[in-house]
Amino acid sequence: MDTKKKIGLYFGTFNPVHSGHLMIAHFVLDYTEINQVWFVVSPHNPFKDKNTLLQDSDRLTLVKIAIQGCELLQVCDVEFRLPQPSYTVNSIEHLIKNYPEHEFSIIMGADNLSCFDKWKGYSQILENHKIYVYPRMNATQSPIESHKNICLIDAPIHKISSSQIRVALKNGQKIDEIVPKEVLARIHEMNYFTD
């Protein structure tokens, strides 16, 4: 019998974390075999410009604030200790080595799945790990959707994006509905995303 705890790795820059991220994490916990979701904060996604990112430690703190009080959600800073830019295949190898008692899966949006074949070591990830894919607006269909390790989940489509939140903050718009209250308080306190 497999007694390993099933961990869903939710990779992202979380710049900043928002209610859509939390909704997806809770959906995965409620409707899949995943026992715990780890938010893996990426210091530098190779597909994104690092200059647009809030400091690594600040983004990590915002995720910690967002998930406090829920033991089924954890924050993971493994990529802070690995070479940058951050590659998922390296991060998973590191986690497997350090947490042999866990079984790791990946949580990603359909937009990421459509370009998954451009990721470093994607075939290795695909063959060895389940990938839970949630729908995203305007995502194109991926040819690997039918792979045995791809699990399409019927999560509600949310239209929230971190870039939209950054623009709203810069323009002084109200975003109480889409950012957790405690996270928003910290953003205002530290004047994040106002430049």
Side-chain angles (χ1 to χ4, degrees), residues 125-157:
I125 298 170
L126 188 59
E127 286 308 314
N128 296 301
H129 302 277
K130 269 192 180 171
I131 300 175
Y132 292 92
V133 181
Y134 58 89
R136 288 298 301 264
M137 297 282 291
N138 305 321
T140 55
Q141 198 168 3
S142 166
I144 59 168
E145 263 184 26
S146 56
H147 190 280
K148 63 178 173 62
N149 279 339
I150 300 289
C151 306
L152 302 176
I153 58 172
D154 195 20
I157 296 179

Side-chain angles (χ1 to χ4, degrees), residues 10-53:
Y10 194 177
F11 290 87
T13 48
F14 303 110
N15 190 44
V17 63
H18 55 66
S19 302
H21 295 130
L22 299 174
M23 186 182 73
I24 294 297
H26 283 293
F27 188 93
V28 168
L29 287 170
D30 291 343
Y31 295 101
T32 74
E33 57 186 11
I34 294 295
N35 305 125
Q36 201 173 56
V37 172
W38 291 7
F39 284 76
V40 185
V41 181
S42 300
H44 184 194
N45 176 327
F47 296 107
K48 292 188 179 176
D49 179 3
K50 189 162 170 65
N51 295 327
T52 65
L53 298 177

Side-chain angles (χ1 to χ4, degrees), residues 52-84:
T52 65
L53 298 177
L54 199 60
Q55 287 293 322
D56 305 344
S57 57
D58 295 329
R59 288 181 286 120
L60 188 78
T61 297
L62 290 178
V63 175
K64 283 180 180 171
I65 292 169
I67 66 172
Q68 65 190 357
C70 182
E71 59 186 41
L72 299 181
L73 302 178
Q74 299 290 322
V75 67
C76 176
D77 64 357
V78 61
E79 295 194 341
F80 287 35
R81 299 184 294 280
L82 296 174
Q84 292 183 29

Side-chain angles (χ1 to χ4, degrees), residues 76-146:
C76 176
D77 64 357
V78 61
E79 295 194 341
F80 287 35
R81 299 184 294 280
L82 296 174
Q84 292 183 29
S86 312
Y87 292 105
T88 300
V89 67
N90 298 343
S91 307
I92 292 183
E93 278 177 5
H94 186 84
L95 288 169
I96 289 168
K97 201 179 293 179
N98 286 277
Y99 299 95
E101 71 279 16
H102 295 338
E103 179 185 306
F104 294 103
S105 299
I106 296 175
I107 300 162
M108 71 166 67
D111 52 336
N112 277 323
L113 187 67
S114 62
C115 63
F116 187 51
D117 59 347
K118 295 181 176 62
W119 290 26
K120 179 183 174 186
Y122 88 94
S123 55
Q124 180 187 331
I125 298 170
L126 188 59
E127 286 308 314
N128 296 301
H129 302 277
K130 269 192 180 171
I131 300 175
Y132 292 92
V133 181
Y134 58 89
R136 288 298 301 264
M137 297 282 291
N138 305 321
T140 55
Q141 198 168 3
S142 166
I144 59 168
E145 263 184 26
S146 56

